[in-house]
């Protein structure tokens, strides 16, 4: 099994990422951390194969954490999972040896693709490493193991709708223990209420959500949405 440390300052996002990892065969979540200090302690406490690392942490940046890990002698592999998409941060992550860089929001499929390529890399290194000496063909095989296929756009989504946002809303509704309003979904996802309403309407029309009405003392009834199990 590949032991993974999930690092994100948002407890909810860390839990979602951990559940994603748990769905991929061969991977298990060894620990979660919500700050750089917690993450460094986890790496020093027990063997960790891979860190899924957010850049925006409350005490240090993710890249500062990677630099500290390297100074402390930890060669733990890193995949960045962050909203930071500026070129300087991406370049710095590459220079520090991050194997992949996944920009939030992302889909489970996008993360699984990176994890699968990481597992393929480990298998390739194990096979080639047993020989002691590598030639160009073996080197190309190692580097090629990290390549991922470009993500395909999802069919059936209306213009202006994205798969990551759809997945984010679906995940919130799937975890909810009761129907949610557009206002509640917006608060959970960080989207605007109008955006949440637009996606909820599409998902309800597609049969993925069930719409119910809640009547108050006065005014229009509140639309509430619940996940429909496939």
């Amino acid at each position: 099994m590949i032991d993974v440390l999930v690092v994100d300052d948002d407890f909810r996002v860390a839990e979602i990422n951990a559940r994603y990892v748990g769905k991929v065969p061969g991977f298990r979540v060894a620990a979660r951390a919500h700050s750089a200090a917690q993450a460094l302690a986890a790496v020093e406490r027990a063997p960790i194969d891979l860190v899924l690392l957010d850049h925006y942490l409350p005490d240090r940046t993710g890249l500062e954490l990677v630099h500290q890990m390297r100074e402390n002698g930890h060669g733990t592999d890193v995949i960045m999972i962050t909203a930071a998409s500026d070129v300087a941060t991406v370049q710095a992550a590459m220079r520090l040896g991050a194997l992949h860089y996944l920009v939030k929001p992302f889909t489970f499929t996008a993360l699984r693709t990176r994890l699968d390529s990481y597992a393929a890399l480990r298998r390739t290194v194990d096979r080639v490493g047993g020989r002691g000496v590598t030639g160009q063909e073996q080197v190309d095989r190692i580097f090629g193991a990290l390549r991922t296929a470009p993500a395909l756009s999802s069919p059936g989504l209306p213009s202006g709708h994205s798969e990551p946002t759809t997945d984010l809303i679906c995940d919130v509704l799937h975890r909810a223990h009761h129907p949610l309003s557009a206002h509640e979904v917006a608060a959970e996802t960080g989207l605007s209420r109008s955006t949440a309403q637009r996606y909820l309407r599409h998902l309800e029309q597609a049969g993925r959500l069930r719409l119910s009405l809640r009547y108050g003392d006065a005014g229009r009834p509140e639309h509430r949405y619940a996940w429909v199990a496939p």
Side-chain angles (χ1 to χ4, degrees):
M1 297 291 288
I2 296 173
D3 288 316
V4 180
L5 170 63
V6 176
V7 184
D8 199 291
D9 66 319
D10 188 319
F11 284 72
R12 180 178 60 86
V13 173
E15 179 60 28
I16 292 173
N17 292 350
R19 284 195 285 109
Y20 279 176
V21 171
K23 293 181 181 180
V24 182
F27 290 82
R28 66 185 173 195
V29 176
R32 298 176 182 82
H34 308 292
S35 68
Q38 290 178 2
L40 188 59
V43 170
E44 294 180 338
R45 183 170 56 247
I48 297 291
D49 299 307
L50 176 65
V51 180
L52 300 185
L53 181 60
D54 187 16
H55 181 58
Y56 298 120
L57 299 173
D59 48 351
R60 307 173 76 173
T61 67
L63 294 184
E64 288 172 341
L65 170 61
V66 177
H67 188 267
Q68 184 66 59
M69 287 167 51
R70 301 298 182 245
E71 283 196 337
N72 291 5
H74 299 295
T76 311
D77 293 321
V78 174
I79 293 178
M80 298 296 296
I81 298 183
T82 177
S85 58
D86 59 285
V87 174
T89 302
V90 174
Q91 280 187 318
M94 292 174 63
R95 288 167 181 155
L96 286 171
L99 297 179
H100 281 299
Y101 198 106
L102 196 54
V103 178
K104 297 178 181 177
F106 58 90
T107 65
F108 167 66
T109 301
L111 177 59
R112 175 162 188 167
T113 299
R114 272 72 179 178
L115 294 180
D116 285 343
S117 74
Y118 174 71
L121 169 67
R122 288 172 62 94
R123 291 192 299 269
T124 302
V125 169
D126 287 343
R127 286 197 301 268
V128 174
R131 305 173 187 175
V133 179
T134 62
Q136 187 62 53
E137 180 182 350
Q138 287 74 33
V139 171
D140 290 343
R141 192 173 301 164
I142 291 172
F143 276 86
L146 278 176
R147 294 176 187 149
T148 59
L152 300 176
S153 58
S154 293
L157 284 180
S159 176
H161 287 233
S162 73
E163 183 182 359
T165 303
T166 300
D167 283 356
L168 180 62
I169 290 177
C170 286
D171 187 77
V172 167
L173 269 296
H174 186 262
R175 291 185 293 107
H177 299 295
H178 54 80
L180 300 179
S181 66
H183 177 77
E184 291 169 325
V185 171
E188 282 287 320
T189 58
L191 300 169
S192 68
R193 187 181 183 281
S194 61
T195 298
Q197 187 88 55
R198 181 159 48 90
Y199 277 82
L200 289 168
R201 188 179 303 113
H202 165 69
L203 291 167
E204 187 267 326
Q205 292 172 351
R208 298 174 69 180
L209 302 179
R210 182 177 64 254
L211 171 64
S212 60
L213 301 178
R214 186 171 74 177
Y215 292 87
D217 296 333
R220 299 172 59 185
E222 182 181 53
H223 289 204
R224 301 184 69 80
Y225 299 86
W227 179 255
V228 177

